[in-house]
C-alpha cells in the first residue's frame, strides 16, 4: 500500500515481495507491473526498502537480511510497525543505512481504497534522535504520499502504539459486541440503528473530551446501571466484564470533570465493584 502511494507520487517501485496468499493478491492489485521476488533480492535492488510485516516478525527479518549482507551504505530502510521505533533496525544501521519508522495511523483492509485512506491520515515518523536529516527524509516521504507526518520519539513509541491500539482495535470490538447484543434483542438492522449514535458519540468525544460523556453512569442513575448488569448477566455474560470495566472508567473520568456529581460517585462504583467481586 505504501509502495503504491509512493508510485503514485512518482517513485519507481523496482520490486516487491509477498509470502502469504493475501499479500501476493494485494501486490497484484496495487502494483500490477512490479515483479515479486524473495525479500533478499528486493533489498539488494532498491534504494528505499519498505518492510511491512507483523511486529513480531520484523526483528528476525532485519537480522536475517543483515546477516545475509543485503543492505548497503546510503540505502533508506523503513518499516511500518507501530510498536517499534528505529532500534529494531540496528542490524541494518551497521551497514550505514538511514533507518526510519513510518507508521500510518489508519486501519487498512488490503483493498485498493487503502491508498486513498492513506492520504487522509497521519503517519508516525521515528528517526535517530540526533539525525535531523533522517527526520526530514521521513517527513518528506510521508508528505509525498499525501499524508501528514507526526514526530514520535523512540522512547514513547510503545505508549503511542498502545494508545492507538486501545482506541481503534477495542473500539471495533466494542461496536461489534453492541451489534450482537441488539441482534440478541431482535433489533434489526442493528448496524443502521447504532450508526448515527456512535458517529455522534465519537465526534462529541473528539470535540469535547470527557465532557461529552452521557448515559446512566454519567448521570448517576444507579437503578439503570443495576438493570444493565442484571440483563447482561443473563443475556451475554461474556460482555459483562467489559461493560463493568468501561463503566468504572467512565464514572471516574466523568467525576474528574464534574459531569458526574461527587455525591453519586460512591454508589455507582459500589454497584460496579459489587458485581465485579462476585
Amino acid at each position: 500500500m505504501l509502495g503504491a502511494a509512493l508510485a503514485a507520487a512518482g517513485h519507481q517501485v523496482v520490486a516487491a515481495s509477498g509470502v502469504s496468499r493475501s499479500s501476493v493478491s494485494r501486490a497484484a492489485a496495487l502494483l500490477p507491473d512490479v515483479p515479486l521476488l524473495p525479500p533478499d533480492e528486493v533489498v539488494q535492488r532498491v534504494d528505499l526498502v519498505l518492510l511491512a510485516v507483523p511486529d513480531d516478525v520484523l526483528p528476525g527479518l532485519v537480522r536475517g537480511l543483515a546477516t545475509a549482507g543485503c543492505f548497503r551504505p546510503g540505502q533508506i530502510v523503513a518499516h511500518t510497525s507501530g510498536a517499534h521505533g528505529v532500534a529494531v533496525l540496528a542490524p541494518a544501521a551497521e551497514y550505514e543505512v538511514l533507518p526510519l519508522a513510518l507508521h500510518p495511523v489508519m486501519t487498512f483492509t488490503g483493498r485498493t481504497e487503502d491508498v486513498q485512506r492513506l492520504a487522509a491520515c497521519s503517519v508516525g515518523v521515528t528517526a535517530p534522535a540526533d539525525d535531523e536529516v533522517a527526520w526530514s527524509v521521513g517527513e518528506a516521504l510521508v508528505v509525498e504520499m499525501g499524508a501528514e507526518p507526526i514526530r514520535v520519539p523512540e522512547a514513547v513509541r510503545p505508549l503511542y502504539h498502545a494508545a492507538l491500539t486501545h482506541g481503534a482495535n477495542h473500539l471495533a470490538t466494542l461496536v461489534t459486541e453492541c451489534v450482537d447484543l441488539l441482534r440478541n434483542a431482535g433489533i434489526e438492522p442493528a448496524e443502521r440503528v447504532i450508526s448515527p449514535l456512535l458517529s455522534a458519540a465519537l465526534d462529541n468525544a473528539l470535540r469535547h473530551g470527557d465532557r461529552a460523556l452521557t448515559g446512566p453512569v454519567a448521570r448517576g442513575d444507579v437503578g439503570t446501571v443495576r438493570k444493565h448488569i442484571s440483563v447482561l448477566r443473563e443475556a451475554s455474560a461474556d460482555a459483562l466484564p467489559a461493560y463493568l470495566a468501561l463503566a468504572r472508567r467512565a464514572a471516574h473520568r466523568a467525576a474528574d470533570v464534574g459531569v458526574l456529581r461527587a455525591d453519586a460517585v460512591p454508589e455507582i462504583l459500589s454497584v460496579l465493584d459489587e458485581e465485579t467481586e462476585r
Side-chain angles (χ1 to χ4, degrees):
M1 187 271 300
L2 293 184
L6 287 170
H11 289 265
Q12 181 184 3
V13 180
V14 175
S17 185
V19 176
S20 67
R21 181 177 301 177
S22 59
S23 63
V24 171
S25 297
R26 283 196 299 273
L30 296 172
L31 301 167
D33 300 320
V34 174
L36 285 181
L37 301 173
D40 57 335
E41 293 186 30
V42 175
V43 173
Q44 289 168 348
R45 291 187 179 202
V46 301
D47 296 321
L48 168 60
V49 179
L50 284 176
L51 302 174
V53 297
D55 297 339
D56 290 348
V57 173
L58 182 61
L61 176 61
V62 175
R63 285 195 303 270
L65 291 170
T67 300
C70 296
F71 300 111
R72 67 175 185 273
Q75 275 182 315
I76 300 171
V77 179
H79 70 74
T80 61
S81 167
H84 294 286
V86 292
V88 73
L89 298 175
E94 292 181 4
Y95 287 82
E96 299 181 11
V97 306
L98 189 154
L100 294 171
L102 305 176
H103 174 249
V105 185
M106 179 55 66
T107 179
F108 297 114
T109 63
R111 300 184 178 92
T112 54
E113 60 264 26
D114 286 349
V115 178
Q116 283 71 47
R117 283 186 171 183
L118 180 63
C121 78
S122 298
V123 173
V125 177
T126 302
D130 58 351
D131 191 342
E132 189 60 33
V133 171
W135 286 102
S136 297
V137 169
E139 291 169 337
L141 287 170
V142 171
V143 170
E144 284 185 320
M145 290 185 283
E148 180 181 355
I150 54 169
R151 292 193 175 195
V152 183
E154 180 85 14
V156 303
R157 193 86 179 189
L159 181 58
Y160 152 86
H161 191 240
L164 299 180
T165 299
H166 186 39
N169 299 154
H170 297 167
L171 176 61
T173 301
L174 182 62
V175 171
T176 53
E177 193 150 71
C178 175
V179 169
D180 289 344
L181 291 172
L182 286 174
R183 285 178 175 159
N184 289 345
I187 308 299
E188 291 285 3
E191 293 89 349
R192 190 182 305 170
V193 170
I194 64 169
S195 179
L197 170 66
L198 297 186
S199 296
L202 177 59
D203 182 64
N204 287 339
L206 293 174
R207 289 174 181 269
H208 307 296
D210 289 322
R211 294 191 178 279
L213 282 165
T214 63
V217 170
R219 292 192 299 266
D221 291 339
V222 175
T224 300
V225 173
R226 286 188 184 277
K227 288 180 182 178
H228 288 177
I229 292 171
S230 177
V231 72
L232 286 173
R233 190 189 307 123
E234 296 298 322
S236 183
D238 288 344
L240 183 55
Y243 176 94
L244 294 170
L246 289 171
R248 191 177 295 105
R249 288 296 294 140
H252 283 295
R253 296 187 72 101
D256 286 345
V257 297
V259 172
L260 174 61
R261 302 187 325 273
D263 63 299
V265 174
E267 192 171 6
I268 282 286
L269 293 179
S270 175
V271 170
L272 298 172
D273 291 339
E274 174 184 315
E275 182 62 28
T276 301
E277 293 167 2
R278 276 177 172 248

